[in-house]
Amino acid sequence: MFLYHLRVVARCSREKPLLLWAPVCHMSAMAPLKEYQARVSSGELMTDDRQFQTMKQLDALYHKIQKYRPDGYRTSGGGGGGGFFSRLFGRQATEEEDDNDPNAGSHAPQGLYLYGSVGVGKTTLMDLFFDCCTQVNRQGIEYHEATENYHFCLQIDRKQRVHFTAFMNNVHTRIHEVKQSQGPVSRAFNSEKPAPFDPTRPVADMIARESWLICFDEFQVTDIADAMVLKRLFTHLFRHGIVVVATSNRHPEDLYKNGLQRTNFLPFIALLQKRCKASQLDSIDYRRIAQSGDTNYFVKGQTDADGSMNRMFKILCAEENDIIRPRTITHFGRDLTFSRTCGQVLDSSFAELCDRPLAGSDYLQIGQFFHTVLIRDVPQLTLDVKSQMRRFITLIDTLYNNRVRVVISADTPLEKLFSFSSSSGALSDSDRALMDDLKLDHGSGSKSSFFTGEEELFAFDRTLSRLYEMQKREYWEQWAKQR
């Protein structure tokens, strides 16, 4: 016999976290390292000494958190008690709880921050660790036919695995809601002036009640709005005792490198390095090696790209129960209109997706409404079109994380899609206007990575690697498993 028990997984893929309840039958209660070795033995993963060393670190963390529970821990069934306003404002800050507490979270096990180049398996290893953690911190019993023995296995019922961009979108949405709900609650007694109010504190309280183990995929900071709240938010989260595992392409000290007002961001780096051990994973890019002969990337001049795109759209439409028509998605009070859709297939263009001022949250909506996106007429991306380049990188990252299928027609082959050169080398009018708004000097301010294209250069390898993987037949078959 087997004992089925429930696994709770919180994923912040939309505006609010989703609690997904799924019955899981664990055929074995293997720790991450043993599970990794089993997958290597079965041929599911390739032998890689560097991955093995990283897996040993994840395995050590797995064993540390087996007996760990944050202070005031309640299981998901215990509830937090109180109404909305008591949850927001019932917890009062103490004098010791300041935003610059260097010891925040020192009572909790130290997490792990995995960084390295693209395609080396960071996400694969973290996901393996996350799946094994369903066997931690909740007592259960399993029967194994091979040994005819019962084994104790424990389970985390409050954890989430989330892409960092989606997590921060959710954080900003909650901060807005908290500010809207605050009203006069935080006014000092007998005072006409409002007392200082930190909206990240109640938001951190909410997140900590939902999850005390958080696994972040693609931890990166390019947005000044994110950079300015991370220190306060994570100080509160670590004080709650949360444990963080993260993957990133950058060393912690290189996060938000040359970003605007980076000096205000540096204290967060120190806090992150104190609460998470940084571990580098260098390996080979398995995505490019595994690329098959199949392709859904058509180069103009080398093939009939428009004809190929039309045929693909016709084939995809035949599988949809709909007609070809425009479609409007309402998001955050504004309309996103696309001229040509059919069911869950979007036939679009680079101009429609990247020339318009769309953001990551808009692309997330596209990833949730459509399972296949056709992107026509992608030009070679240079520093002369930095804004469109940024949007294209964000678009591909979002579609990849949501396992959306992509068909592209472009002016250049995939390996030449990005060209980090500028015909003029001068600042664009939009960049100059932004620097004027921020009161930045056109000389020193232009060295920020926001204006030099350094962030795009760094993200280019990741995006290119993902585009290679998105051509594979295996990737195209994954979308059905995600829905």
Side-chain angles (χ1 to χ4, degrees), residues 44 60 123 128 139 154 219 225-226 250 274 311 414 482:
E44 183 178 346
T123 298
L128 188 155
Q139 186 168 337
L154 302 171
F219 198 108
D226 293 347
R250 284 188 180 270
K274 194 165 187 177
R311 282 192 295 274
L414 186 52
Q482 304 292 321

Side-chain angles (χ1 to χ4, degrees), residues 85-104:
F85 286 100
S86 65
R87 293 197 303 272
L88 288 185
F89 310 110
R91 179 179 175 272
Q92 299 296 324
T94 65
E95 293 182 0
E96 301 84 29
E97 292 187 353
D98 62 83
D99 295 340
N100 297 312
D101 180 6
N103 296 315

Side-chain angles (χ1 to χ4, degrees), residues 81-144:
F84 176 73
F85 286 100
S86 65
R87 293 197 303 272
L88 288 185
F89 310 110
R91 179 179 175 272
Q92 299 296 324
T94 65
E95 293 182 0
E96 301 84 29
E97 292 187 353
D98 62 83
D99 295 340
N100 297 312
D101 180 6
N103 296 315
S106 58
H107 61 289
Q110 188 181 36
L112 195 61
Y113 179 100
L114 304 177
Y115 71 98
S117 54
V118 298
V120 297
K122 301 184 298 294
T123 298
T124 298
L125 300 187
M126 184 185 72
D127 286 347
L128 188 155
F129 165 83
F130 182 83
D131 291 339
C132 289
C133 284
T134 55
Q135 301 158 7
V136 183
N137 274 345
R138 194 170 190 176
Q139 186 168 337
I141 301 175
E142 294 177 348
Y143 178 76
H144 300 274

Side-chain angles (χ1 to χ4, degrees), residues 184-366:
V185 174
S186 67
R187 289 182 182 273
F189 183 70
N190 289 334
S191 173
E192 293 297 325
K193 295 182 179 180
F197 175 65
D198 178 9
T200 64
R201 187 186 301 276
V203 170
D205 292 345
M206 297 179 208
I207 295 171
R209 275 193 298 272
E210 295 163 356
S211 312
W212 64 261
L213 173 64
I214 306 181
C215 294
F216 292 112
D217 190 29
E218 296 293 350
F219 198 108
Q220 59 178 336
V221 185
T222 57
D223 190 293
I224 188 172
D226 293 347
M228 294 303 103
V229 303
L230 281 174
K231 174 60 165 61
R232 287 178 288 134
L233 175 69
F234 274 81
T235 296
H236 301 318
L237 287 174
F238 286 135
R239 188 176 288 125
H240 276 291
I242 71 160
V243 178
V244 167
V245 177
T247 69
S248 179
N249 295 334
R250 284 188 180 270
H251 187 279
E253 294 181 357
D254 291 333
L255 290 171
Y256 199 51
K257 189 175 182 180
N258 296 325
L260 297 173
Q261 302 181 27
R262 189 173 188 259
T263 53
N264 296 330
F265 178 76
L266 295 178
F268 168 72
I269 295 178
L271 177 66
L272 180 65
Q273 289 183 302
K274 194 165 187 177
R275 294 309 319 137
C276 294
K277 179 181 178 181
S279 176
Q280 185 175 12
L281 175 59
D282 282 328
S283 186
I284 55 178
D285 188 342
Y286 289 105
R287 294 174 186 155
R288 291 201 192 189
I289 288 180
Q291 185 193 17
S292 66
D294 304 324
T295 181
N296 299 299
Y297 184 97
F298 305 104
V299 181
K300 294 182 176 182
Q302 296 183 4
T303 183
D304 181 9
D306 289 337
S308 298
M309 295 290 285
N310 292 335
R311 282 192 295 274
M312 286 293 295
F313 185 60
K314 184 176 180 180
I315 293 171
L316 292 166
C317 287
E319 300 175 357
E320 299 295 314
N321 186 25
D322 199 357
I323 60 173
I324 299 174
R325 58 186 175 89
R327 185 166 183 176
T328 299
I329 302 172
T330 301
H331 178 54
F332 281 149
R334 63 191 185 95
D335 293 337
L336 301 177
T337 301
F338 300 98
S339 59
R340 187 174 164 88
T341 72
C342 181
Q344 290 183 282
V345 178
L346 170 61
D347 185 7
S348 188
S349 66
F350 180 86
E352 190 174 47
L353 292 169
C354 300
D355 282 353
R356 293 192 290 175
L358 303 184
S361 58
D362 300 315
Y363 296 136
L364 188 59
Q365 292 297 307
I366 294 173

Side-chain angles (χ1 to χ4, degrees), residues 8-25:
V8 181
V9 180
R11 295 186 185 270
C12 299
S13 59
R14 299 188 181 181
E15 292 182 12
K16 291 188 180 296
L18 303 177
L19 294 180
L20 306 177
W21 292 78
V24 179
C25 176

